[in-house]
Amino acid sequence: LYADFYDELLEGIDIPEEVTGQQGLGIVQAILDNGRSGYTAIEQKPGVTTASVQHEEQKLKFPMDVVYSRQQFIGLMGHEGEIHIKERVNGYQQPLQILGSGLAFYLPGSEGKGVMAEQVLGSSFVEFMDSQRFFDIARRYLSLGLARGADGHEPRDFKDVFQIMNALDSLWELIQNPDQPGSAGLHSVDRTWELLAMRTHRGYSHPGMAFLKDKLYLEGNLAQWNVLMRKPDLFPYLNLGKYDASNPDHIAVLCEANILPGKFCL
């Protein structure tokens, strides 16, 4: 289902088995040029290992110190460079231009579609679950659940969540670098700090306080797959703008504006 846009996005571009740094930044720009979005690739700020799109300035921020495998990199470009950018560009071309900035509670659809673009590059969902990317998404979800006390424990503060998540990150790093336990410990502190301070907590320290957007990557992804299982013909219309195809209110809005075909409006 995603093959056509990946063919267009990657046309004429040679992507090596590993992508990082200035070379990667140049490849990102070439991909953005293929997408004809007008966006520019820039360096992500130091200490942040995830890519992000800054729509107001039409920039895609690419982390310079992360080494991506070829498949990880292509999935990242599908998520950020195609889904997030095109849903905004396409949205402003609709009769209802608020689709460019997003209907209320559009994020489950937006992030769910983005993760889906990464998943289809593998041979199975199990393969995706074995990846570093899935582990990172699961870490976000887990850290939020720990903060909120979803495991039956009372809500936790930043310090308590950090201790638990750092134990998991330490184990992950040690598995990746069994001959360098000291280095693995240092890297795990950086990973846990970035997760909590820059994503799921962002300065919140009171028990139970957390930035809940990051739980939508998993929840929104499952919701989009469930929609497509019921209505596979909806796929070509998923990226018309920033909306959530699993939200009946959003479907009703698009139908009233004659943006979706009538068969989806029954």
Side-chain angles (χ1 to χ4, degrees):
L1 289 176
Y2 279 84
D4 289 344
F5 92 55
Y6 273 121
D7 287 345
E8 178 183 344
L9 211 62
L10 305 177
E11 183 179 2
I13 300 174
D14 181 28
I15 301 178
E17 290 303 311
E18 290 189 345
V19 182
T20 188
Q22 287 296 332
Q23 178 196 30
L25 194 66
I27 297 173
V28 174
Q29 186 60 59
I31 289 173
L32 292 175
D33 291 342
N34 275 354
R36 297 182 292 278
S37 64
Y39 281 61
T40 303
I42 63 171
E43 296 183 13
Q44 180 61 281
K45 62 184 179 182
V48 179
T49 61
T50 54
S52 62
V53 178
Q54 200 167 34
H55 289 295
E56 292 75 14
E57 299 181 10
Q58 293 192 312
K59 308 289 188 184
L60 194 159
K61 297 181 176 180
F62 178 71
M64 303 300 289
D65 299 325
V66 179
V67 179
Y68 292 98
S69 69
R70 187 176 188 276
Q71 182 170 306
Q72 288 173 327
F73 178 78
I74 293 173
L76 174 68
M77 291 298 98
H79 186 139
E80 303 289 349
E82 180 69 14
I83 298 300
H84 286 340
I85 290 178
K86 283 297 179 66
E87 66 180 353
R88 181 178 176 89
V89 172
N90 292 341
Y92 280 124
Q93 295 173 353
Q94 302 302 328
L96 191 65
Q97 291 190 10
I98 195 174
L99 286 168
S101 55
L103 298 182
F105 310 113
Y106 75 88
L107 278 171
S110 184
E111 298 301 351
K113 291 180 297 182
V115 175
M116 190 184 293
E118 300 176 61
Q119 290 167 326
V120 297
L121 291 169
S123 60
S124 68
F125 188 67
V126 172
E127 179 183 328
F128 181 73
M129 291 179 69
D130 283 339
S131 69
Q132 171 79 52
R133 174 60 169 164
F134 180 80
F135 181 67
D136 285 339
I137 292 174
R139 288 167 65 241
R140 301 172 190 176
Y141 203 85
L142 177 59
S143 68
L144 292 170
L146 291 170
R148 300 291 292 174
D151 58 340
H153 191 278
E154 63 184 17
R156 296 174 174 86
D157 61 16
F158 184 101
K159 176 175 175 289
D160 289 338
V161 176
F162 189 97
Q163 288 178 334
I164 297 171
M165 294 306 302
N166 187 243
L168 291 174
D169 286 341
S170 294
L171 180 60
W172 175 271
E173 290 288 344
L174 189 59
I175 291 171
Q176 308 307 309
N177 301 283
D179 298 329
Q180 298 178 314
S183 176
L186 290 174
H187 288 159
S188 73
V189 171
D190 291 338
R191 281 172 54 79
T192 309
W193 178 260
E194 180 185 355
L195 170 67
L196 269 61
M198 299 184 184
R199 294 204 67 103
T200 61
H201 285 65
R202 296 194 184 185
Y204 297 133
S205 59
H206 190 76
M209 296 292 288
F211 191 74
L212 297 178
K213 178 206 167 187
D214 274 337
K215 75 188 187 78
L216 301 180
Y217 287 78
L218 284 180
E219 293 179 3
N221 181 246
L222 290 171
Q224 302 313 297
W225 280 116
N226 282 327
V227 166
L228 290 181
M229 287 175 65
R230 298 192 307 271
K231 300 178 180 180
D233 291 346
L234 185 61
F235 178 83
Y237 305 96
L238 284 184
N239 225 32
L240 291 176
K242 293 188 174 187
Y243 79 101
D244 178 6
S246 69
N247 187 325
D249 292 338
H250 289 190
I251 297 297
V253 168
L254 268 65
C255 287
E256 186 173 349
N258 295 316
I259 295 172
L260 284 178
K263 63 180 179 179
F264 300 117
C265 303
L266 303 177

